[in-house]
Amino acid sequence: MSTTVAQPVSSRLPVFPWDRLEPYKATAAAHPGGIVDLSVGTPVDPVPHIVQRALAGAADSPGYPTVWGTPELRAAITGWAGRRLGADGLTDAHVLPVVGSKELVAWLPTQLGLGAGDKVAYPRLAYPTYEVGARLAGAEAVVYDEPTEPDPAGLRLLWLNSPSNPTGRVLSKDELTRAVAWAREHGVLVFSDECYLELGWDADPVSVLHPDVCGGSYEGIVAVHSLSKRSNLAGYRSAFLLGDPAVLGELLQIRKHGGMMTPAPVQAATVAALGDDAHVARQRERYARRRAALREAFETAGFRVEHSEASLYLWATRDESCWDTVADLSKQGILVAPGDFYGAAGERYVRIAFTATDERVAAAVRRLSS
């Protein structure tokens, strides 16, 4: 009797991009002054004390948390969204906590029931997990330069990303309004990844939930937000969705069955983080200093920075293969991300994160100027 083995799900996926960077990371680490890692963009500054205290205060949480979150968490999310995004009339039904935004992006098409014959569209230069999500579901991944250009036939999910990872591009209020109107006209669900919205530098990013964009209706639109960047909480895996109650209600039911619960102490920490704007302002000041120092140093070293008006990255080029740039910088002990991680259109760019410590940023500046 023979046994048929199913094709591994991993065979649907591309090679994990960060594995390809390991040899260059080893070269950079061998530098006498140590590595300056500007690649992944992971937060390095302390978790705000107010958040740490809230986490510790909820440490005695022996029971199961709820997928929908505590009433306090839902109130904190809607309150923050009204204050920061200008989103009016949000209720508990408009909210869904998730276990970090990457998990949501990767599994959303599957949880929406998408599969063969369905299409998922996302920007030509984009966070790789949008494509991963489509592939995991067996749907077709479609890239676009402008969100209203895809063929709407079979298109079930349209990803917006403003501010963009990797480019830092910000979609204007008019561009967002056109995208929402186009999607509604064609019955396409919009998910807007806004995880860098509070990190605008040369532009003031606008949410898809702003009444000037959505017309005061949340039908067919959902915004994705995360505390990883704005509050240094990448290690906490805290994110949330806001928008269409019909969509979020369906996801809530599925996620209940899947046990996709934000831990209770993290829920309490999230309430504290969303209720305090002071730590966000302090972190912005840190990033603004690092951004200015690195931008000047890379431009002086012959790089051209494009877009980068928001987010935690500089999108830069020296008009050569991104891997040549990565290799050259690694010899100086500086590690950056190759642009083709984010699509073929990035093959002559690198993404430079300014999430390193002040000391490491200063080291990079010295090396680039020598």
Side-chain angles (χ1 to χ4, degrees), residues 279-351:
H279 78 271
V280 180
R282 287 193 297 271
Q283 190 59 43
R284 276 183 54 87
E285 291 173 1
R286 293 188 188 109
Y287 284 143
R289 292 195 306 270
R290 294 166 186 167
R291 177 180 183 268
L294 286 171
R295 180 163 193 158
E296 181 180 2
F298 273 94
E299 288 180 336
T300 300
F303 286 82
R304 183 175 71 255
V305 175
E306 297 184 2
H307 293 301
S308 307
E309 56 261 31
S311 82
L312 290 178
Y313 313 107
L314 298 174
W315 186 242
T317 182
R318 209 161 51 182
D319 294 315
E320 64 184 5
S321 163
C322 60
W323 288 100
D324 288 345
T325 306
V326 168
D328 181 58
L329 288 172
S330 71
K331 295 171 186 174
Q332 300 177 64
I334 300 170
L335 189 68
V336 298
D340 66 2
F341 277 11
Y342 309 95
E347 63 185 0
R348 297 177 73 82
Y349 292 82
V350 293
R351 194 194 72 171

Side-chain angles (χ1 to χ4, degrees), residues 18 38-48 51 80 100-102 127 129-130 161 163-166 193-201 224-240 270 273-274 276-288 290 310-313 342 351-356:
W18 295 99
L38 308 178
S39 61
V40 177
T42 189
V44 297
D45 298 303
V47 171
V51 177
W80 172 84
S101 59
K102 184 170 186 175
Y127 184 46
T129 313
Y130 303 137
N161 181 208
S164 162
N165 173 15
D193 182 346
E194 302 176 352
C195 290
Y196 295 91
L197 185 135
E198 293 195 88
L199 294 162
W201 310 110
V224 183
H225 284 271
S226 167
L227 276 73
S228 293
K229 312 301 186 185
R230 51 93 74 187
S231 296
N232 300 334
L233 297 188
Y236 283 47
R237 310 315 301 136
S238 177
F240 52 88
T270 300
L274 290 175
D276 178 64
D277 294 333
H279 78 271
V280 180
R282 287 193 297 271
Q283 190 59 43
R284 276 183 54 87
E285 291 173 1
R286 293 188 188 109
Y287 284 143
R290 294 166 186 167
S311 82
L312 290 178
Y313 313 107
Y342 309 95
R351 194 194 72 171
I352 303 160
F354 40 89
T355 53

Side-chain angles (χ1 to χ4, degrees), residues 12-26:
R12 304 177 193 171
L13 305 179
V15 175
F16 187 63
W18 295 99
D19 290 345
R20 296 166 56 199
L21 201 58
E22 285 302 312
Y24 302 95
K25 185 175 183 179

